[in-house]
């Protein structure tokens, strides 16, 4: 067992765990951050997506020994991001999700994209969300919601429309 310290949604965390424990298990089983979902467990579905020092990563592929002094943000931590409510509203307006299991991962991936590329066009949005799998919707509503969110993001930040 090792003592690991990191920050979760701005809160200092110190836990004792095996160095190879997956971050998704630490979040869900030790810290009850169940907004981070576990599905494939092999980095293929994006259900467990989190931000690690601002970078989108699948928590099932990150191990405890890699967490020292990192800043982890889950979908719940997005509450502190001013644009998050706007993005969630856009997704809801298009009824993007049904069961919602994939929603935290999609939302994190979309916000990470728009934060870095506020002028992202439809192709870039689809590419950015390729790593996220949804078992319910067939993706049409999610993409419509993502495009709507991107439009709202552009308007808020005064970003010119992308070329068609
Ligand atoms: Fe981590 Fe699927 S559970 S990518
Ligand atoms: Fe159910 Fe995406 S809405 S998995």
């Amino acid at each position: 067992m090792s003592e690991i310290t990191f920050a979760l949604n701005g809160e200092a965390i110190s836990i004792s765990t095996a160095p190879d424990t997956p971050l998704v298990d630490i979040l869900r089983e030790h810290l009850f951050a169940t907004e981070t979902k576990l599905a494939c467990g092999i980095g293929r579905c994006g259900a467990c997506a989190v931000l690690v020092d601002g970078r989108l990563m699948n928590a099932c592929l990150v191990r405890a020994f890699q967490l020292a002094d990192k800043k982890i943000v889950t979908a719940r931590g997005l509450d502190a991001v001013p644009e998050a409510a706007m993005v969630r509203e856009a997704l809801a307006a298009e009824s993007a999700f049904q069961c919602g299991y994939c929603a935290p991962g999609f939302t994190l991936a979309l916000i990470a994209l728009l934060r870095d590329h506020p002028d992202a066009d439809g192709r870039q949005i689809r590419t950015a969300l390729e790593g996220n799998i949804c078992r319910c919707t067939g993706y049409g509503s999610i993409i419509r919601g993502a495009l709507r969110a991107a439009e709202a993001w552009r308007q808020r930040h005064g970003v010119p429309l992308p070329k068609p």
Side-chain angles (χ1 to χ4, degrees):
M1 300 289 258
S2 302
E3 195 73 13
I4 313 278
T5 60
F6 59 94
L8 175 62
N9 298 329
E11 181 186 347
I13 301 289
S14 182
I15 63 162
S16 182
T17 188
D20 62 348
T21 305
L23 173 57
V24 67
D25 291 349
I26 294 172
L27 291 173
R28 291 178 58 82
E29 294 171 20
H30 295 259
L31 303 173
F32 307 108
T34 53
E35 70 275 16
T36 305
K37 305 303 184 191
L38 176 60
C40 70
I42 55 171
R44 297 278 175 81
C45 76
C48 64
V50 295
L51 300 177
V52 180
D53 283 352
R55 194 168 151 223
L56 188 71
M57 302 187 78
N58 288 325
C60 63
L61 299 182
V62 179
R63 303 289 158 175
F65 72 87
Q66 298 171 298
L67 293 177
D69 302 323
K70 299 290 190 206
K71 294 183 176 66
I72 313 297
V73 173
T74 66
R76 179 167 49 90
L78 292 177
D79 293 348
V81 176
E83 293 88 351
M86 179 183 75
V87 169
R88 289 169 174 153
E89 276 170 27
L91 291 164
E94 295 293 345
S95 302
F97 305 108
Q98 290 181 27
C99 79
Y101 199 81
C102 64
F106 269 103
T107 305
L108 272 156
L110 181 58
I111 287 177
L113 171 72
L114 295 175
R115 175 200 62 194
D116 295 342
H117 302 283
D119 57 347
D121 60 17
R123 185 184 57 79
Q124 289 170 303
I125 289 169
R126 286 179 180 82
T127 299
L129 300 181
E130 269 179 4
N132 294 79
I133 290 176
C134 174
R135 298 299 297 269
C136 300
T137 66
Y139 301 100
S141 60
I142 295 174
I143 295 301
R144 284 196 302 277
L147 292 169
R148 189 176 184 129
E151 175 61 26
W153 193 294
R154 277 192 293 273
Q155 285 182 8
R156 176 173 292 193
H157 294 284
V159 178
L161 286 174
K163 294 192 182 80

